[in-house]
Amino acid sequence: RINNMNAREKILAQIKHGLAHKDESIHDAARQRLNHPIRQTPPSRTLLNNLQAQFVEKTLLAACTVEQITSQTELAETVVQYLTAQKLTEHQQLNQIVTERAELKLIFEHNQSLSVHQRDVVNGDAVFITDCICAIAETGTMVMTSDESQKTSSLYLADRLVVVVKHSQLVASLEDSWSVVRQLTTANTD
């Protein structure tokens, strides 16, 4: 019964229900948007000159934690520092850190403090580390891909989500993110 569930179980139940509902109109709308771009006013020069600062500001407003690093070698240590600050290292949860991306797992292989497993995330994992296809400075949001093997709804299964965003993945606006999606769609169909 849903009345006896805690908040997390309610959310997971809603996600499962949503995944079971196959509404083709949603897919049709996405295909329509990909095939017919909307012309918008270009972002201001101020936004274009400060994509990183704008993204960080908007992301912090969403109550997220943002750490800026200059190289991949800093990533593992930054994650350890974050987990320590969140007091996750005191619990035996460090063996529940997962990623579905082989290239992200490689970054953590030389770090003795934590063990990252390459597999799909499951309910109860402590930390899920992933990347995105782009990040929107205007909104502070990240754009993820979804397919039959990895649904974006699975991002909510772990207790903590760590998203790696490269500076080159920052785009100014929502419409710019659609351009990135179009490019990926075209590249995957060729």
Side-chain angles (χ1 to χ4, degrees):
R1 289 181 44 130
I2 291 182
N3 293 341
N4 295 332
M5 294 181 178
N6 67 30
R8 180 180 176 156
E9 289 170 334
K10 285 180 186 178
I11 292 169
L12 291 173
Q14 289 173 342
I15 291 171
K16 286 179 185 177
H17 175 71
L19 290 174
H21 182 65
K22 302 262 186 201
D23 185 357
E24 277 301 312
S25 66
I26 295 171
H27 297 290
D28 291 340
R31 280 190 283 278
Q32 184 73 6
R33 181 74 188 260
L34 283 170
N35 293 329
H36 302 287
I38 296 172
R39 297 280 180 220
Q40 287 186 320
T41 307
S44 69
R45 288 183 195 259
T46 305
L47 177 59
L48 290 174
N49 291 335
N50 297 306
L51 288 179
Q52 184 173 343
Q54 180 74 15
F55 175 76
V56 169
E57 177 185 335
K58 294 292 185 174
T59 305
L60 291 172
L61 287 173
C64 296
T65 302
V66 178
E67 296 292 338
Q68 298 180 59
I69 59 175
T70 57
S71 69
Q72 285 186 344
T73 56
E74 295 177 53
L75 180 59
E77 186 57 37
T78 302
V79 169
V80 170
Q81 290 171 1
Y82 168 76
L83 297 176
T84 301
Q86 297 293 312
K87 300 193 182 340
L88 288 175
T89 54
E90 296 171 7
H91 310 300
Q92 293 298 322
Q93 295 183 332
L94 288 185
N95 61 347
Q96 297 173 333
I97 300 174
V98 297
T99 183
E100 82 283 4
R101 308 274 195 239
E103 56 274 13
L104 288 175
K105 184 179 184 317
L106 285 173
I107 294 170
F108 291 91
E109 283 193 349
H110 300 295
N111 188 295
Q112 303 296 325
S113 301
L114 33 103
S115 175
V116 176
H117 306 279
Q118 184 182 349
R119 62 172 169 76
D120 289 340
V121 64
V122 295
N123 191 16
D125 283 333
V127 180
F128 181 57
I129 302 171
T130 191
D131 53 9
C132 62
I133 61 169
C134 66
I136 306 169
E138 181 178 57
T139 60
T141 54
M142 291 145 280
V143 178
M144 314 296 215
T145 56
S146 180
D147 59 25
E148 290 302 316
S149 66
Q150 183 68 45
K151 302 279 188 201
T152 53
S153 57
S154 66
L155 298 173
Y156 303 102
L157 295 176
D159 294 335
R160 301 281 191 287
L161 174 64
V162 175
V163 181
V164 178
V165 179
K166 297 176 184 170
H167 189 270
S168 62
Q169 294 173 307
L170 290 173
V171 297
S173 67
L174 180 61
E175 188 54 39
D176 293 334
S177 72
W178 278 101
S179 295
V180 173
V181 172
R182 282 185 201 97
Q183 289 171 358
L184 286 174
T185 303
T186 304
N188 289 337
T189 58
D190 290 342

